[in-house]
């Protein structure tokens, strides 16, 4: 039996805050811009400017938070103080972001959205790094990181269930002010409860550094950590493809398929499938290796996505689209669960080579890479549709639909096949991770306290 195996209670307590933060984060990407454009006085150009500034702010706050948490020394460990600090900021910011007055302008949106982004960084970056420190076992790390993604999917399901549950009061599944109000208060009230159990009952993890992190360590890492370079290369191409597909998914479902009113049900089905099939993917990662699971699930994903083009548009498309989404939700679970678990192994390799544990900094970089690649992918999707004069209001010709089809079904596989090839023979497998683990723990134990 694995001595490092964490109890289900510990995993639940560790992942709990992600249920709340995912309700905060997911709408900020997909819902908030359209919501502010419809229900406040702020213009589309102003919203785009604020969102762009938010990404620039992340470029500073994410690495800084990771670096400072790596250098933190306290009786509560490196990560817990930062998560505690971010909690009250999140509780206040989400109330203002999710419940704006009709007169809200650019300064209101900018201030409170930046506060919300900051709080999410203060909670999420240290927690990801903490997860890699709870165990240095190859397979146990899969369980830990998978618990986070499961919690994220549960939070997303709860958010999309809100307009459905409120249907008797609103008469629509549209995400309007009442839906946002309920979601905002649910996060503000539940996050401190989740955080209490996390900070109280989850251990701080193993500290394996032999010296305190400094800026020169990053230069050393770029030179000696070849798995990090390879992982980053794979991640960039993966998330560009994901960004292109996500940028067109709702448009494909609504404008082309004509089942946009069923979109909340489709998303709920996808996220619920991911959450329920997590144990299957943990076993697959243990049996075949995390990098193989990522490569194969990516390959299956890019094969299945274009199959939606064979579904006849119209009201009858809902049932086949639901079947399509359920299959896709299962396959995409592998592409969601494996990468963060692999990244923890990459951090261990860096610790072995440099002597410092830079988990916070590394996961901050990972977050920045995914955000930037996602934004690039979304831009590519809209440029493609624009090149073919696609109209989101409908009534498109075959030529115009071709722009949507290219962005939805044909360009993402091109970028993501690069990911599959990069990860197929990734150098850190279970055996090599075991060697890395033993060496860094042996070196840590030999150092004076």
């Amino acid at each position: 039996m694995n001595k490092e195996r964490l109890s289900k209670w510990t995993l639940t307590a560790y992942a709990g805050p992600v249920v709340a933060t995912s309700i905060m984060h997911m709408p900020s990407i997909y819902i908030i811009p359209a919501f502010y454009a419809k229900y406040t006085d702020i213009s589309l150009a102003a919203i785009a400017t604020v969102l762009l500034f938010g990404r620039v702010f992340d470029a500073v706050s994410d690495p800084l938070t990771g670096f400072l948490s790596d250098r933190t020394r306290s009786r509560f460990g490196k990560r817990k103080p930062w998560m505690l600090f971010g909690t009250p900021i999140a509780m206040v910011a989400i109330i203002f972001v999710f419940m704006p007055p009709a007169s809200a302008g650019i300064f209101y949106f900018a201030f409170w959205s930046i506060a919300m982004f900051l709080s999410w960084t203060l909670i999420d970056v240290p927690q990801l790094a903490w997860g890699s420190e709870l165990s240095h076992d190859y397979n146990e790390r899969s369980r830990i990181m998978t618990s986070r993604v499961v919690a994220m999917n549960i939070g997303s399901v709860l958010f999309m269930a809100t307009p459905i549950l409120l249907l008797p009061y609103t008469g629509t599944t549209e995400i309007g002010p009442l839906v946002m109000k309920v979601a905002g208060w649910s996060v503000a009230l539940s996050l401190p409860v989740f955080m209490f159990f996390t900070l109280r009952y989850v251990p701080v993890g193993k500290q394996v550094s032999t010296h305190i992190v400094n800026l020169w360590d990053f230069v050393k890492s770029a030179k000696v950590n070849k798995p990090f370079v390879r992982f980053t290369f794979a991640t960039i191409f993966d998330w560009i493809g994901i960004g292109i597909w996500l940028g067109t998914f709702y448009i494909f479902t609504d404008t082309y398929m004509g089942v946009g009113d069923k979109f909340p049900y489709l998303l709920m089905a996808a996220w619920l499938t991911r959450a329920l099939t997590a144990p299957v993917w943990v076993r697959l990662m243990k049996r075949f290796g995390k990098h193989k699971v990522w490569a194969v699930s990516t390959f299956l994903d890019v094969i299945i996505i274009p199959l939606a083009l064979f579904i006849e548009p119209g009201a009858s498309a809902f049932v086949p689209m639901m079947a399509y989404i359920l299959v896709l939700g299962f396959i995409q679970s592998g592409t969601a669960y494996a990468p963060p678990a692999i990244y923890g192994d990459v951090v261990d390799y860096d610790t072995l080579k440099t002597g410092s544990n830079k988990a916070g900094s590394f996961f901050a970089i990972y977050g920045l890479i995914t955000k930037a690649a996602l934004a690039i992918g979304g831009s590519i999707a809209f440029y493609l549709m624009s090149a073919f004069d696609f109209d989101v209001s409908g009534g498109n010709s075959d030529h115009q639909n071709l722009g949507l089809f290219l962005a939805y079904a044909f360009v993402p596989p091109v970028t993501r096949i690069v990911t599959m090839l990069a990860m197929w023979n990734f150098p850190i497998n279970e055996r090599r991770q075991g060697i890395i683990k033993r060496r860094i723990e042996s070196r840590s134990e030999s150092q004076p306290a």
Side-chain angles (χ1 to χ4, degrees), residues 285-301:
M285 285 188 282
K286 183 176 182 179
R287 173 68 178 83
F288 298 104
K290 291 175 281 196
H291 61 291
K292 287 287 197 298
V293 165
W294 187 9
V296 172
S297 59
T298 298
F299 178 70
L300 294 175
D301 192 25

Side-chain angles (χ1 to χ4, degrees), residues 2-242:
N2 180 8
K3 294 181 179 179
E4 294 192 23
R5 186 176 178 85
L6 302 178
S7 68
K8 291 181 179 180
W9 161 248
T10 301
L11 288 179
T12 302
Y14 166 73
V18 182
V19 175
T21 57
S22 65
I23 298 176
M24 174 177 69
H25 186 247
M26 187 275 290
S28 70
I29 298 175
Y30 304 107
I31 308 297
I32 290 294
F35 180 81
Y36 268 73
K38 185 172 183 178
Y39 293 102
T40 71
D41 292 337
I42 188 170
S43 67
L44 286 173
I47 292 172
T49 301
V50 172
L51 293 176
L52 177 62
F53 181 74
R55 299 288 76 80
V56 175
F57 182 81
D58 286 340
V60 177
S61 64
D62 284 21
L64 184 61
T65 299
F67 177 73
L68 292 176
S69 72
D70 285 337
R71 292 179 62 88
T72 298
R73 294 292 183 271
S74 78
R75 57 179 294 194
F76 305 107
K78 295 182 176 184
R79 317 302 175 185
K80 291 185 180 184
W82 292 92
M83 296 175 66
L84 181 62
F85 179 51
T87 299
I89 301 176
M91 293 167 61
V92 174
I94 195 169
I95 296 300
F96 284 91
V97 172
F98 277 41
M99 288 168 261
S103 60
I106 185 171
F107 294 107
Y108 178 98
F109 182 48
F111 181 83
W112 289 113
S113 61
I114 292 300
M116 190 173 73
F117 292 150
L118 174 62
S119 69
W120 190 70
T121 294
L122 292 172
I123 295 170
D124 195 65
V125 170
Q127 193 199 31
L128 269 169
W130 185 14
S132 72
E133 296 164 347
L134 288 175
S135 174
H136 294 270
D137 180 78
Y138 182 84
N139 293 312
E140 186 61 13
R141 186 167 278 156
S142 298
R143 291 181 69 234
I144 295 168
M145 293 303 180
T146 296
S147 70
R148 263 186 52 89
V149 183
V150 169
M152 189 182 304
N153 290 325
I154 291 173
S156 299
V157 168
L158 291 174
F159 178 83
M160 294 311 301
T162 304
I164 299 172
L165 295 174
L166 293 175
L167 180 60
Y169 304 98
T170 61
T172 178
T173 56
E174 181 184 0
I175 299 175
L178 181 59
V179 172
M180 298 302 292
K181 183 176 182 179
V182 171
W185 278 111
S186 68
V187 173
L189 297 176
S190 66
L191 181 58
V193 177
F194 283 124
M195 195 63 69
F196 168 79
F197 287 103
T198 300
L199 302 182
R200 175 66 177 82
Y201 294 105
V202 182
V204 296
K206 293 184 178 181
Q207 306 302 315
V208 292
S209 291
T210 55
H211 68 268
I212 297 176
V213 177
N214 59 66
L215 292 176
W216 175 247
D217 287 333
F218 295 106
V219 179
K220 293 171 62 178
S221 295
K223 292 180 179 179
V224 302
N225 198 334
K226 299 296 177 61
F228 166 69
V229 175
R230 186 165 173 175
F231 181 94
T232 301
F233 179 78
T235 299
I236 290 173
F237 279 89
D238 192 38
W239 279 89
I240 288 177
I242 292 172

